[in-house]
Amino acid sequence: MFKKVLVANRGEIALRVIRACKELGLRTVAVHSTVDAEALHVRLADQSVCIGPPEPKLSYLNIPAIIAAAEISGADALHPGYGFLSENAEFAEVCRRCGITFIGPSPEAMRAWGDKVSARSNAAAFGLPMLPGSGVLDGADHARREAERVGFPVILKASGGGGGRGMKIVRALGDIENAFYAAQSEAMAGFRNPDVYLERFIEHPRHVEFQVVADQHGNAVCLGERDCSLQRRHQKVLEEAPSPSITPALRDRLAELVTVAVRETGYTSLGTLEFLLDEGGEAYFMEMNTRVQVEHPVTEMVTGLDLVAEQILIAGGARLRVQAHRVAPRGHSIECRINAEDPVTFAPSPGRVTEYLPPGGLGVRVDSGIYAGWTVPPHYDSLLAKVIVHATDRAGAIARMRRALDEFVIEGIKTNIPLHRRILDHPKFQRGEVSTRFIEGMQR
Amino acid sequence: MFKKVLVANRGEIALRVIRACKELGLRTVAVHSTVDAEALHVRLADQSVCIGPPEPKLSYLNIPAIIAAAEISGADALHPGYGFLSENAEFAEVCRRCGITFIGPSPEAMRAWGDKVSARSNAAAFGLPMLPGSGVLDGADHARREAERVGFPVILKASGGGGGRGMKIVRALGDIENAFYAAQSEAMAGFRNPDVYLERFIEHPRHVEFQVVADQHGNAVCLGERDCSLQRRHQKVLEEAPSPSITPALRDRLAELVTVAVRETGYTSLGTLEFLLDEGGEAYFMEMNTRVQVEHPVTEMVTGLDLVAEQILIAGGARLRVQAHRVAPRGHSIECRINAEDPVTFAPSPGRVTEYLPPGGLGVRVDSGIYAGWTVPPHYDSLLAKVIVHATDRAGAIARMRRALDEFVIEGIKTNIPLHRRILDHPKFQRGEVSTRFIEGMQR
Amino acid sequence: MNIDIEQIEGLMRALKAHDFHEIEIRQGDERITLRRGAGVAPIGVPAMAFPMATGEREHPTGLGESLPSTASPAVDPDLVTVTSPLVGTFYRAPSPQARSFVEVGSHVRKGTVLCIIEAFKLMNEIECEVDGLVTEILTENGKPVEFGQGLVRIRRAG
Amino acid sequence: MNIDIEQIEGLMRALKAHDFHEIEIRQGDERITLRRGAGVAPIGVPAMAFPMATGEREHPTGLGESLPSTASPAVDPDLVTVTSPLVGTFYRAPSPQARSFVEVGSHVRKGTVLCIIEAFKLMNEIECEVDGLVTEILTENGKPVEFGQGLVRIRRAG
């Protein structure tokens, strides 16, 4: 087992890792950019190394600087957190070459599950449900046949790129021909590649993801699912566990499938398999995240496990401490991501925090890297704090979150707490009728 | 069920009750003395009433003012917290006469179990183990016979009073006669009453208490025990659940006995039965507290129940939501009481809190009524905050508490955090070898 | 230069006692200016802006915000605010039919009954402690009052 | 000028004793103004005193506390501090046997190699950007340095 962990991240996740290390008796090294010299993760680590200027690519994404920081501080392991270098298989390889334990999956497993195409073929091989779709379409006639096979609505997508360009939603057979030609010419114009394929289109998808944890001794456990349907522009806003969208039968089936897939592909550490649910409750595999998730705490609350400690111990060669093949959730947990942003315009709101008093009491957990007097820099993401609650049931968790947000004091910068209040007070949310388009619809 | 709860207390317990009420959808009324006008419980309640000057007897102990505050604010229930009027049966009676639901046991039950003598006769009647002792001693010869029967060491006590006066510890038969006469004359001098009795003396007692909860429909449940052995001058300092001092067999036996005693005497609401354990692990009933305890959170952490919500619902006539006859603890919880006091001299340290940042993250709960910029008044007790941790086992809870205290920032006033660190780092504490004389011994 | 330190210290004490921040005295071509620090700028942490300030706080009883016990000091030292010595309900007259004890403009003396605070079904008469003229009734008949809340304002008779 | 120090000291004592911050006295064309510092005090929240200040923090690499990148600005504008552009290990010479690139007192020019920072097994030569005289070597041979840490101080040639 290693003795000193360099935390190659900042903000609340750096703190999260430092806390787990301290509780495990491991020394910690924080790295930071010049603008983060006074950040909480720097203050709470045993040691710190300034690795560069504020720009992420010169500091938190600067592989040589981070490796050098590990070398000069004598760190023998490294935790990448989420974002930044956490899903960079090359970085994991560099760590390995330098004799630093990368706390995460092997570079090979990261590539196998981190790449979307490779992940889908893995998933399909292990029988995970896939969104029905076509290969590259030969022409309008082929598009028609495939659309009929897949079932309407469908979405036409450009093989050569993303970002909405070349995407066409088709709801009836009569529209497929025109849509195909339009998509093809947009694809040609946008990506110099006229190739187009189609997929089933889900109007109001729900986002449900399964947490797995696997050790280096062939043991893999599924820790249940999280519902992350509440998003704004593909950014998750509020997450919960268990999901109000999923049936017990589907939960059991998917938990079983993902456990087998992960174990049989030799994946280790934490991993999250994301699914979309359609309006009929059918699930389709989308992708896998090969690192700890922002929303991992809701799983910790309902399973009673310390996922980051587990991840660290597994990297050190330990066997999984969870014995069961699956862990049944206990109670209900919700996480609200408190961002430094205008609650109406969503514009980022960096600046000096003049007052700060996090909520407390029973069933309330706060993971945050801020404090009164600190200045939130504009260079990184806007996440200030995660408020996580746990209660015996979903209604209790909603009431507790409402109470916690009511007592949260953050002054000097704007936050999205008012948005969370509106969500929590919404009758449809309270009934569990959520989708990735909920927030968009709520604002109308 | 009532709609608006007046919280007849201050500090962290007032906040605790307000939080429970908010989560249950009840309105809250805070009362406060003039010096507490800016206190957190006042700020977080829906409504507040100033009831008097700083002196407790003119404000928080001022029954007419508190009842008037309930009347003018339209509160139809009242939570007394702990301390102040919480064990005053007359106050509970006044509430009843005024049509205000007192959130606690009936005045009759408070008298039956709140009075030491009556509580002991109740306890004895239901077979709870009692500390061996004598009645009033006729003379030196009687003292000798009773001491031999009870077994050495014994302690001689004055019937007429307490406070150490007239108390004599006797460790050998040869010393009993002199000690008896000395005790008798001290008792006469101190209390104008020469009556003296004796009891078994426990050199290094452990303090273990059982939490019970009972509704108005005849259901009573024991929620396990807490170990509160770590005390300084009879003030609890650190508490934990489950107790490291008790065997599973004794736990089962006492849980069964206290449940029956509480149910059969018609006691309702929360109650705590305190026992001393001698060096051989035998338990002796001491007294019952007929209100919520400062240390109730450790029981909440290991049972997953919200004791204050339960207490409120029971007062409203609800049935116990816990079905089981007994609730088995899950994991381990520790509470540290953070006091405004010099960690060496123990002198109180009221004053302005200049900086405040409570610890966060997994398994850490903070119940506190303070914030940066607030001035801790010198008129009340010195409790600033309770840090409560939960982990899968005792070693994990100790590591987590150590980590939490390391990141706790309270500036401007002195606190006893250094004392807690010394306790947590002590090998004997880590082995669970505690007694009420531990802290005293540690300081030598 | 001819400076009377005692005189200046006297000024300082007066400023402090009345919580004033600046004084300037001119006599002919003599001038003395004194400033106390707090007037310059509030140093230190301001009272926290709690979320309750969003208007969720309920004050149907008229309590809390209007509490004069913590209000800014009256500029006029002859204005005396009579505050409630207990929590209860404020009545201006001994019974609904009766006339009010005092009105704005009433002359009062030490011992004059100003109002009643009912608490616990008991009628507590609040007596005046100075001689003077009633200038303001600070709360309405039948409204609840908390400890220390202002009831009646009186201009002390010269 | 005719100054009565005792009188002024008397005023100073009075200001301090009564916690005043400013006094101005004019008599004819004489004027005395006295100000105490606290009135102009830094407003706002100081950096938090974290428990880590208890000495538990480990700095065996010499990093952190000594970081000159956040140090107070040098008063002398001709003193230039060369800081490390990367994280690594500081070497004063190209090999253990070789002589140091520079010593205190060395004359340097723009482009003179001052030291090496080893990172990732690569030797990065740090060149001087000004002409001048080496006045101080800020870290020891073989010690780790972080980004922005001061390495060598140079007095710019006039």
Side-chain angles (χ1 to χ4, degrees), chain A residues 9-19 40-41 82 293-297 335 365-370 381 383-386 388:
Chain A
N9 217 301
R10 64 181 299 284
E12 70 85 19
I13 193 62
L15 229 68
R16 174 71 190 87
V17 174
I18 289 168
R19 284 168 170 159
L40 208 48
H41 76 282
Y82 53 66
Q293 304 273 102
V294 179
E295 61 272 19
H296 77 278
E335 170 181 287
R365 164 181 173 186
V366 179
D367 277 36
S368 171
I370 74 168
D381 80 18
L383 183 64
L384 293 173
K386 304 187 307 201
I388 305 117

Side-chain angles (χ1 to χ4, degrees), chain A residues 4 27 40 42-43 45-53 67-68 72 352, chain D residues 45 47-48 50 52 57-58 61 63 87-89 119-120 144-147:
Chain A
K4 195 188 255 192
R27 306 292 292 170
L40 208 48
V42 176
R43 287 168 174 257
D46 295 310
Q47 210 178 333
S48 67
V49 180
C50 180
I51 51 168
I67 297 292
I72 66 169
R352 185 180 163 88
Chain D
V45 187
M48 276 214 175
F50 276 79
M52 287 304 115
R57 206 166 153 80
E58 179 190 340
T61 55
L63 308 178
V87 182
T89 307
F120 237 3
V145 291
E146 57 188 331
F147 175 84

Side-chain angles (χ1 to χ4, degrees), chain B residues 134-151:
Chain B
S134 72
V136 172
L137 300 168
D138 288 343
D141 216 51
H142 188 200
R144 182 192 313 269
R145 285 198 309 278
E146 286 295 286
E148 283 196 285
R149 186 179 63 78
V150 163

Side-chain angles (χ1 to χ4, degrees), chain A residues 291-313:
Chain A
R291 35 86 185 163
V292 66
Q293 304 273 102
V294 179
E295 61 272 19
H296 77 278
V298 295
T299 300
E300 294 184 320
M301 303 309 268
V302 297
T303 60
L305 296 172
D306 183 333
L307 293 190
V308 177
E310 215 61 54
Q311 188 187 25
I312 294 167
L313 292 171

Side-chain angles (χ1 to χ4, degrees), chain D residues 91-101 103 141:
Chain D
Y91 290 110
R92 292 188 53 191
S95 74
Q97 293 76 33
R99 283 171 51 193
S100 294
F101 292 110
E103 300 287 352
N141 191 53

